[in-house]
Amino acid sequence: MKAIDFKNALIAMQERMVQERDYLCELDRQLGDGDHGVTMVIGWKAIGKQVVELTNETDISVICKEVAMTFLNAVGSSVGPLYATGFLQAGKGLKGVEELSLTDVKSFWIAFSEGIEYRGGAKIGDKTMVDTLAPLAAFLRDSEKDFDMDGALAAAREGMELTKQMHSNVGRSSRLGDRSVGAIDPGAASAFFLFETFCESIRALEKV
């Protein structure tokens, strides 16, 4: 995955957030103020605009840093610092890298997930995006393959779907108590959609 391919994946992730906006807002209406889809679209549209301005940038760590700051500046809610930290953490090990190997992709998503978990302080079972990302990262850490895409997707999807059975333990939705059970966490859903779209971008490259 060359730098241009990485940027194209980010654009595809932006488009996925636009597609899923209403669904994510509906999930959030069951748990919060119903704006998660709108928030993610605002942040990812800002990323898309920034990526266009990085036409000549080939250092993926620099792209990650720019994306992180762009998302943070565009999104005022708590999700802003989380995704910014994820991208910053993921980019740390990619200084000077202009083409991602599958091993690099694996390291990227492990670091991205760990960054978000560290920044937010949530754990598996709290009904947050961590329930998608932590199982994804754990699977990749344990996998002997360079990047077991199908296995990682399955782990992420299972984590997301399990949030439907959970009580919310953090944020505004924690005040709902038993009423928070029965709905997929919107943050877990958006994190899964983003990872799934990134994987789809890799699959498209493999077919070329």
Side-chain angles (χ1 to χ4, degrees):
M1 175 176 265
K2 297 179 181 179
I4 183 61
D5 302 319
F6 182 71
K7 294 179 206 174
N8 287 339
L10 294 173
I11 295 295
M13 292 158 83
Q14 170 206 311
E15 293 170 350
R16 182 69 181 275
M17 287 298 96
V18 172
Q19 293 169 9
E20 303 290 353
R21 179 189 61 190
D22 291 346
Y23 173 67
L24 293 171
C25 284
E26 177 57 33
L27 290 180
D28 198 27
R29 273 190 286 272
Q30 299 177 57
L31 297 169
D33 50 16
D35 67 348
H36 183 69
V38 173
T39 298
M40 293 300 287
V41 168
I42 290 172
W44 279 90
K45 278 191 172 181
I47 285 176
K49 182 178 179 181
Q50 181 63 27
V51 166
V52 172
E53 296 177 3
L54 293 172
T55 302
N56 297 321
E57 182 58 65
T58 58
D59 187 328
I60 293 175
S61 69
V62 173
I63 297 171
C64 286
K65 182 177 180 180
E66 292 295 328
V67 165
M69 294 300 98
T70 296
F71 194 89
L72 181 62
N73 290 332
V75 177
S77 69
S78 59
V79 75
L82 295 176
Y83 272 94
T85 302
F87 276 109
L88 287 173
Q89 192 69 24
K92 281 184 179 180
L94 300 172
K95 187 174 182 179
V97 174
E98 298 184 352
E99 183 171 356
L100 296 175
S101 66
L102 288 178
T103 301
D104 290 330
V105 171
K106 177 179 180 177
S107 298
F108 175 94
W109 280 102
I110 291 173
F112 181 87
S113 302
E114 289 177 343
I116 287 179
E117 185 172 2
Y118 173 78
R119 184 68 172 82
K123 302 298 180 184
I124 290 178
D126 284 338
K127 198 180 179 92
T128 71
M129 67 175 73
V130 169
D131 288 295
T132 293
L133 295 172
L136 183 166
F139 176 86
L140 291 177
R141 282 193 298 267
D142 292 341
S143 174
E144 296 181 358
K145 296 183 179 181
D146 291 339
F147 181 61
D148 186 340
M149 186 186 306
D150 291 337
L153 276 168
R157 182 187 295 276
E158 181 181 20
M160 172 191 68
E161 292 177 347
L162 283 173
T163 63
K164 190 172 184 178
Q165 307 169 22
M166 298 174 184
H167 288 82
S168 181
N169 294 329
V170 296
R172 293 179 182 177
S173 58
S174 62
R175 295 175 293 186
L176 295 175
D178 290 343
R179 289 179 294 161
S180 65
V181 177
I184 289 174
D185 178 73
S190 58
F192 175 76
F193 293 148
L194 291 170
F195 180 62
E196 184 180 45
T197 303
F198 190 92
C199 290
E200 288 170 354
S201 296
I202 293 178
R203 285 199 180 102
L205 290 173
E206 293 175 343
K207 295 178 180 179
V208 175

